[in-house]
Coordinates of all heavy atoms in Angstrom, one line a residue:
G25 N 48.8 36.4 -125.1 CA 47.9 36.7 -124.0 C 47.8 35.6 -123.0 O 47.7 35.9 -121.8
V26 N 47.8 34.4 -123.4 CA 47.8 33.3 -122.5 C 49.0 33.2 -121.6 O 48.9 33.1 -120.3 CB 47.6 32.0 -123.2 CG1 47.8 30.8 -122.3 CG2 46.2 31.8 -123.9
I27 N 50.1 33.4 -122.1 CA 51.4 33.3 -121.3 C 51.4 34.4 -120.3 O 51.7 34.2 -119.1 CB 52.6 33.4 -122.2 CG1 52.7 32.0 -123.0 CG2 53.9 33.5 -121.4 CD1 53.8 32.0 -124.1
I28 N 51.1 35.6 -120.7 CA 51.2 36.8 -119.8 C 50.1 36.6 -118.7 O 50.4 36.8 -117.5 CB 50.8 38.1 -120.6 CG1 52.0 38.4 -121.5 CG2 50.7 39.3 -119.6 CD1 51.8 39.7 -122.5
G29 N 48.9 36.2 -119.0 CA 47.9 36.0 -118.1 C 48.3 34.9 -117.1 O 48.1 35.1 -115.9
R30 N 48.8 33.8 -117.5 CA 49.1 32.7 -116.6 C 50.2 33.1 -115.7 O 50.4 32.7 -114.6 CB 49.3 31.4 -117.3 CG 48.1 31.0 -118.2 CD 47.0 30.5 -117.2 NE 47.4 29.3 -116.4 CZ 47.1 28.1 -116.8 NH1 46.6 27.8 -118.0 NH2 47.4 27.0 -116.1
T31 N 51.2 33.8 -116.3 CA 52.4 34.2 -115.5 C 52.0 35.1 -114.4 O 52.5 34.8 -113.3 CB 53.4 34.9 -116.5 OG1 53.9 34.1 -117.4 CG2 54.6 35.4 -115.6
S32 N 51.1 36.0 -114.6 CA 50.7 36.9 -113.5 C 50.0 36.1 -112.4 O 50.2 36.4 -111.2 CB 49.7 38.0 -114.0 OG 48.5 37.5 -114.5
E33 N 49.1 35.2 -112.8 CA 48.4 34.3 -111.8 C 49.4 33.5 -111.0 O 49.3 33.5 -109.7 CB 47.4 33.4 -112.5 CG 46.3 34.1 -113.2 CD 45.5 33.2 -114.1 OE1 45.7 31.9 -114.1 OE2 44.6 33.7 -114.9
F34 N 50.4 32.9 -111.6 CA 51.3 32.0 -110.8 C 52.2 32.9 -110.1 O 52.7 32.5 -109.0 CB 52.0 31.1 -111.8 CG 51.2 29.9 -112.2 CD1 50.6 29.8 -113.4 CD2 51.1 28.9 -111.3 CE1 49.8 28.7 -113.8 CE2 50.2 27.7 -111.6 CZ 49.6 27.6 -112.8
F35 N 52.6 34.1 -110.5 CA 53.5 34.9 -109.8 C 52.8 35.3 -108.5 O 53.4 35.2 -107.4 CB 53.8 36.2 -110.5 CG 54.6 37.2 -109.7 CD1 56.0 37.0 -109.5 CD2 54.1 38.3 -109.2 CE1 56.8 37.9 -108.8 CE2 54.8 39.2 -108.4 CZ 56.1 39.0 -108.3
D36 N 51.5 35.7 -108.5 CA 50.7 36.0 -107.3 C 50.7 34.8 -106.3 O 50.9 34.9 -105.2 CB 49.3 36.3 -107.6 CG 49.2 37.7 -108.2 OD1 50.2 38.4 -108.4 OD2 48.0 38.1 -108.5
F37 N 50.6 33.6 -106.9 CA 50.5 32.3 -106.1 C 51.8 32.1 -105.4 O 51.9 31.8 -104.2 CB 50.1 31.2 -107.0 CG 50.4 29.9 -106.3 CD1 49.5 29.3 -105.4 CD2 51.6 29.1 -106.6 CE1 49.7 28.1 -104.8 CE2 51.8 27.9 -106.0 CZ 50.9 27.4 -105.1
F38 N 52.9 32.3 -106.1 CA 54.3 31.9 -105.6 C 54.6 32.9 -104.6 O 55.4 32.6 -103.6 CB 55.3 31.7 -106.7 CG 55.2 30.4 -107.4 CD1 55.0 30.4 -108.8 CD2 55.3 29.2 -106.7 CE1 54.8 29.1 -109.4 CE2 55.2 28.0 -107.4 CZ 55.0 27.9 -108.7
V39 N 54.3 34.2 -104.8 CA 54.6 35.2 -103.8 C 54.0 34.8 -102.4 O 54.7 34.8 -101.4 CB 54.1 36.6 -104.2 CG1 54.2 37.6 -103.1 CG2 55.0 37.1 -105.4
F40 N 52.7 34.4 -102.4 CA 52.1 34.0 -101.2 C 52.7 32.7 -100.6 O 52.9 32.5 -99.4 CB 50.6 33.8 -101.4 CG 49.8 33.6 -100.2 CD1 49.2 34.6 -99.5 CD2 49.7 32.3 -99.7 CE1 48.5 34.4 -98.3 CE2 49.0 32.0 -98.4 CZ 48.4 33.1 -97.7
A41 N 53.0 31.7 -101.6 CA 53.5 30.5 -101.1 C 54.9 30.6 -100.4 O 55.2 30.0 -99.4 CB 53.6 29.6 -102.4
I42 N 55.8 31.4 -101.0 CA 57.1 31.6 -100.4 C 57.0 32.3 -99.1 O 57.6 32.0 -98.1 CB 58.0 32.4 -101.4 CG1 58.3 31.5 -102.7 CG2 59.3 32.8 -100.8 CD1 58.9 32.3 -103.8
A43 N 56.1 33.3 -99.1 CA 56.0 34.1 -97.8 C 55.3 33.1 -96.8 O 55.6 33.3 -95.5 CB 55.0 35.3 -98.0
S44 N 54.5 32.1 -97.1 CA 54.0 31.2 -96.2 C 55.0 30.4 -95.5 O 54.8 29.9 -94.4 CB 53.0 30.2 -96.9 OG 51.9 30.9 -97.5
V45 N 56.3 30.3 -96.1 CA 57.3 29.5 -95.5 C 58.3 30.4 -94.7 O 58.7 30.1 -93.6 CB 58.1 28.7 -96.5 CG1 59.3 28.0 -96.0 CG2 57.2 27.7 -97.3
I46 N 58.6 31.5 -95.3 CA 59.7 32.3 -94.7 C 59.3 33.6 -94.0 O 60.1 34.2 -93.3 CB 60.7 32.7 -95.9 CG1 60.1 33.7 -96.8 CG2 61.2 31.5 -96.5 CD1 61.0 34.2 -97.9
V47 N 58.0 34.0 -94.1 CA 57.5 35.2 -93.4 C 56.4 35.0 -92.4 O 56.5 35.3 -91.3 CB 57.1 36.3 -94.5 CG1 56.5 37.5 -93.8 CG2 58.2 36.6 -95.4
F48 N 55.3 34.4 -92.9 CA 54.1 34.3 -92.1 C 54.3 33.5 -90.8 O 53.7 33.9 -89.8 CB 52.9 33.8 -92.9 CG 52.5 34.6 -94.1 CD1 52.0 34.0 -95.3 CD2 52.7 36.0 -94.1 CE1 51.6 34.8 -96.3 CE2 52.3 36.7 -95.2 CZ 51.8 36.2 -96.3
P49 N 55.0 32.5 -90.8 CA 55.2 31.7 -89.5 C 55.8 32.6 -88.4 O 55.5 32.4 -87.2 CB 56.1 30.6 -89.8 CG 55.9 30.3 -91.2 CD 55.6 31.7 -91.9
Q50 N 56.6 33.6 -88.8 CA 57.3 34.5 -87.8 C 56.4 35.8 -87.5 O 56.4 36.2 -86.4 CB 58.6 34.9 -88.3 CG 59.6 33.7 -88.4 CD 60.9 34.1 -89.0 OE1 61.7 34.8 -88.2 NE2 61.3 33.7 -90.2
R51 N 55.7 36.2 -88.6 CA 55.0 37.5 -88.3 C 53.4 37.3 -88.0 O 52.9 38.1 -87.3 CB 55.1 38.3 -89.6 CG 56.5 38.9 -89.9 CD 56.4 39.9 -91.0 NE 55.4 41.0 -90.8 CZ 55.6 42.1 -90.1 NH1 56.8 42.3 -89.6 NH2 54.7 43.0 -89.9
I52 N 52.9 36.2 -88.5 CA 51.5 36.0 -88.3 C 51.2 34.9 -87.3 O 50.2 34.9 -86.5 CB 50.8 35.6 -89.6 CG1 51.1 36.7 -90.7 CG2 49.2 35.5 -89.4 CD1 50.6 38.1 -90.4
F53 N 52.1 34.0 -87.2 CA 52.0 32.9 -86.2 C 53.1 32.8 -85.3 O 53.7 31.6 -85.0 CB 51.7 31.5 -86.9 CG 50.5 31.5 -87.9 CD1 50.7 31.7 -89.2 CD2 49.2 31.5 -87.3 CE1 49.6 31.6 -90.1 CE2 48.1 31.6 -88.2 CZ 48.3 31.6 -89.6
P54 N 53.6 33.8 -84.6 CA 54.8 33.7 -83.8 C 54.5 33.0 -82.4 O 55.5 32.7 -81.7 CB 55.2 35.2 -83.5 CG 53.8 35.9 -83.6 CD 53.0 35.2 -84.6
F55 N 53.2 32.8 -82.2 CA 52.9 32.2 -80.8 C 53.0 30.7 -80.8 O 52.7 30.0 -79.8 CB 51.5 32.6 -80.4 CG 50.5 32.4 -81.5 CD1 49.8 31.1 -81.6 CD2 50.2 33.4 -82.5 CE1 48.8 30.9 -82.6 CE2 49.2 33.1 -83.5 CZ 48.6 31.9 -83.5
V56 N 53.4 30.1 -82.0 CA 53.6 28.7 -82.0 C 55.0 28.4 -82.5 O 55.8 29.3 -83.0 CB 52.6 28.0 -82.9 CG1 51.1 28.1 -82.3 CG2 52.6 28.6 -84.3
D57 N 55.4 27.2 -82.5 CA 56.8 26.8 -83.0 C 56.8 26.9 -84.5 O 55.7 27.0 -85.1 CB 57.1 25.3 -82.6 CG 56.1 24.3 -83.1 OD1 56.3 23.9 -84.2 OD2 55.1 24.1 -82.5
P58 N 58.0 26.9 -85.0 CA 58.1 27.2 -86.5 C 57.3 26.1 -87.4 O 56.8 26.5 -88.4 CB 59.7 27.1 -86.8 CG 60.2 27.5 -85.4 CD 59.3 27.0 -84.4
L59 N 57.3 24.9 -87.0 CA 56.6 23.9 -87.7 C 55.2 24.2 -87.8 O 54.5 24.2 -88.8 CB 57.0 22.4 -87.2 CG 56.1 21.4 -87.8 CD1 56.3 21.2 -89.3 CD2 56.3 20.0 -87.1
S60 N 54.6 24.3 -86.6 CA 53.2 24.6 -86.5 C 52.8 25.9 -87.2 O 51.7 26.0 -87.9 CB 52.7 24.8 -85.0 OG 53.0 23.6 -84.3
G61 N 53.7 27.0 -87.1 CA 53.5 28.1 -87.9 C 53.4 27.9 -89.4 O 52.6 28.5 -90.1
T62 N 54.3 27.1 -89.9 CA 54.3 26.7 -91.3 C 53.1 26.0 -91.7 O 52.4 26.3 -92.8 CB 55.5 26.0 -91.6 OG1 56.7 26.7 -91.3 CG2 55.7 25.7 -93.2
L63 N 52.7 25.0 -90.9 CA 51.4 24.3 -91.2 C 50.2 25.2 -91.2 O 49.4 25.0 -92.1 CB 51.3 23.1 -90.2 CG 52.3 22.0 -90.2 CD1 52.2 21.1 -89.0 CD2 52.1 21.3 -91.5
L64 N 50.1 26.1 -90.3 CA 49.0 27.1 -90.2 C 49.1 28.0 -91.5 O 48.0 28.2 -92.1 CB 49.1 27.9 -89.0 CG 48.7 27.2 -87.7 CD1 49.0 28.0 -86.5 CD2 47.2 26.8 -87.6
S65 N 50.2 28.3 -91.9 CA 50.4 29.1 -93.2 C 49.9 28.3 -94.4 O 49.3 28.8 -95.3 CB 51.7 29.6 -93.3 OG 52.2 30.5 -92.3
F66 N 50.3 27.0 -94.4 CA 49.8 26.2 -95.5 C 48.2 26.0 -95.5 O 47.7 25.8 -96.5 CB 50.5 24.8 -95.4 CG 51.9 24.8 -95.8 CD1 52.8 23.8 -95.7 CD2 52.4 26.0 -96.6 CE1 54.0 23.7 -96.1 CE2 53.7 25.9 -97.1 CZ 54.6 24.9 -96.8
A67 N 47.7 26.0 -94.3 CA 46.2 25.9 -94.2 C 45.6 27.1 -94.9 O 44.6 27.1 -95.6 CB 45.8 25.9 -92.8
L68 N 46.2 28.4 -94.7 CA 45.8 29.6 -95.3 C 46.0 29.5 -96.9 O 45.2 29.9 -97.7 CB 46.4 30.8 -94.8 CG 46.1 31.2 -93.4 CD1 46.9 32.5 -93.0 CD2 44.6 31.4 -93.2
L69 N 47.1 28.9 -97.2 CA 47.5 28.7 -98.6 C 46.3 27.9 -99.3 O 45.9 28.2 -100.5 CB 48.8 27.9 -98.8 CG 49.3 27.6 -100.2 CD1 49.8 28.9 -100.9 CD2 50.4 26.7 -100.2
A70 N 45.9 26.8 -98.6 CA 44.8 26.0 -99.2 C 43.5 26.7 -99.3 O 42.7 26.2 -100.2 CB 44.6 24.7 -98.4

């Protein structure tokens, strides 16, 4: 039960984290440069 539960939690986390780098800077923060978009995405991650 522990392994299944923790795997689901970390899967959710990593889906958002990966998207914060490769998706959100272009789709949610396209009005800034890629670096700034990534930093803003990391702020949402936090």
Side-chain angles (χ1 to χ4, degrees):
V26 169
I27 292 175
I28 294 175
R30 296 296 292 274
T31 298
S32 71
E33 293 169 10
F34 279 104
F35 177 76
D36 285 359
F37 166 81
F38 283 119
V39 165
F40 187 93
I42 293 172
S44 294
V45 176
I46 66 176
V47 177
F48 296 152
Q50 300 180 63
R51 289 190 56 84
I52 307 300
F53 302 106
F55 53 88
V56 295
D57 60 88
L59 171 62
S60 299
T62 304
L63 292 172
L64 289 171
S65 296
F66 282 170
L68 292 183
L69 181 72

